[in-house]
Amino acid sequence: MAYDTLLVETRGAVGLITLNRPKALNALNGHLIAELNTVLDAFEADEAVRAVVVTGSEKAFAAGADIKEMLSHDFVSALASDFIAPWDRIARCRKPVIAAVAGYALGGGCELAMMCDIILAADNARFGQPEINLGTLPGAGGTQRLIRAIGKSKAMEMVLTGRMMDAREAEQANLVARVVPAADLIDEAIKLADTIAEKSAPVVAMAKAAVNAANEIGLNDGLRFERSQFYATFATADRGEGMQAFVDKRSPKFTNR
Ligand code: CAA
């Protein structure tokens, strides 16, 4: 299926989504978010897709929510339309999602990347929440996810000044997992996704849910949830296979059951 704002392909077990509004530096308008959500629904329903990579162009992952689209909103229309509501579909994806970020990841672009499970950054990546310069503030999770990723002082500095962070600083601040040369970004992201795709799919989903719980609930509830997920893996064939393979000194053959 062809999309107006995305390029979509699968590479083996990996679904690759490329944001594709080059003239607007991949600014995220309602149509793009709707198309992105359609693809995520399809990838989630497709058993052959085991991990997803979201990327943009070499110049921009995404330069934010589409300012031209937002311009005409007033408070009442923003509230009534709740136009940011569809954005968090990607955060609810049960399969692992990797953001492969080159160039600008600003405003909603940074927020979209932070909704993914792992951010892999090209060495030319730049992250920021410049909404303050537009007389507004991050509206798709920036004030909440950034502080959890990089801590209060740095998050506050970025949100209140609109300063951008380069890839090295983002790595040092733990916003991104790793920085790679821009030319290798997609290959590295696919390699990472492939590594995850080789594991047991149900156990990957459970591990992802357990890690995400740490950002959503308190420590005691999180520990209880983790333990229930851990014990639940003992109901899978893959847990038996994984441990037996270790004992037998061979590689496991997971069947996703
Ligand atoms: N929305 C709409 N269009 C955008 C855009 C955005 N967020 N970002 C860039 N564009 C458009 C520009 O208007 C321009 O279009 P025209 O050629 O038609 O004028 C085109 O993309 C290229 O942009 P520039 O000429 O500005 O490119 P540049 O290389 O000089 O600068 C940039 C690049 C620093 C990223 C600059 O484009 C910029 O500052 N963009 C806006 C970043 C921003 O403020 N993002 C936050 C948006 S608000 C938000 O995201 C709210 C939220 O939390 C949900």
Side-chain angles (χ1 to χ4, degrees):
M1 187 170 164
Y3 296 90
D4 301 327
T5 62
L6 308 174
L7 303 172
V8 179
E9 61 183 287
T10 49
R11 294 198 192 172
V14 180
L16 175 61
I17 303 172
T18 305
L19 309 178
N20 187 36
R21 293 188 72 207
K23 288 187 186 144
L25 301 184
N26 292 331
L28 304 163
N29 62 10
H31 186 48
L32 184 151
I33 295 293
E35 290 196 326
L36 179 61
N37 292 350
T38 299
V39 177
L40 290 168
D41 286 346
F43 280 163
E44 195 140 68
D46 184 347
E47 264 195 42
V49 174
R50 307 283 296 284
V52 177
V53 172
V54 180
T55 194
S57 69
E58 195 163 336
K59 178 157 186 198
F61 176 73
D66 191 316
I67 298 166
K68 293 165 190 168
E69 191 177 69
M70 286 186 295
L71 183 62
S72 59
H73 269 299
D74 60 23
F75 167 66
V76 172
S77 71
L79 187 68
S81 63
D82 198 7
F83 64 91
I84 294 296
W87 282 52
D88 72 352
R89 169 69 184 87
I90 196 162
R92 290 182 290 99
C93 187
R94 297 170 74 213
K95 295 185 177 177
V97 184
I98 296 163
V101 174
Y104 296 111
L106 302 179
C110 187
E111 292 169 303
L112 187 74
M114 289 192 291
M115 285 186 225
C116 299
D117 299 309
I118 300 171
I119 304 177
L120 204 60
D123 50 17
N124 73 338
R126 300 188 75 186
F127 298 86
Q129 298 290 163
E131 290 89 342
I132 201 82
N133 298 325
L134 302 170
T136 187
L137 57 93
T143 64
Q144 305 303 297
R145 290 196 174 92
L146 196 59
I147 190 172
R148 284 165 166 80
I150 68 175
K152 176 176 168 180
S153 193
K154 226 180 210 329
M156 196 67 94
E157 186 204 3
M158 288 182 73
V159 169
L160 297 188
T161 69
R163 181 176 77 80
M164 288 186 216
M165 229 187 227
D166 66 17
R168 284 286 156 224
E169 184 181 359
E171 186 181 32
Q172 279 161 7
N174 294 326
L175 180 59
V176 310
R178 208 148 39 85
V179 179
V180 300
D184 302 338
L185 179 66
I186 302 302
D187 286 350
E188 288 289 337
I190 298 282
K191 210 188 298 175
L192 176 58
D194 273 338
T195 301
I196 298 168
E198 285 164 10
K199 315 297 183 199
S200 165
V203 177
V204 164
M206 293 159 81
K208 166 172 167 155
V211 175
N212 275 335
N215 268 347
E216 291 159 8
I217 57 182
L219 180 61
N220 284 334
D221 288 339
L223 291 171
R224 259 192 295 278
F225 180 64
E226 179 197 74
R227 192 161 311 170
S228 68
Q229 295 288 85
F230 172 65
Y231 290 149
T233 65
F234 287 71
T236 67
D238 285 339
R239 194 283 317 170
E241 166 62 9
M243 291 193 180
Q244 191 61 55
F246 176 81
V247 171
D248 296 347
K249 301 188 186 302
R250 60 175 172 82
S251 298
K253 288 194 182 68
F254 293 126
T255 55
N256 305 316
R257 292 289 176 263

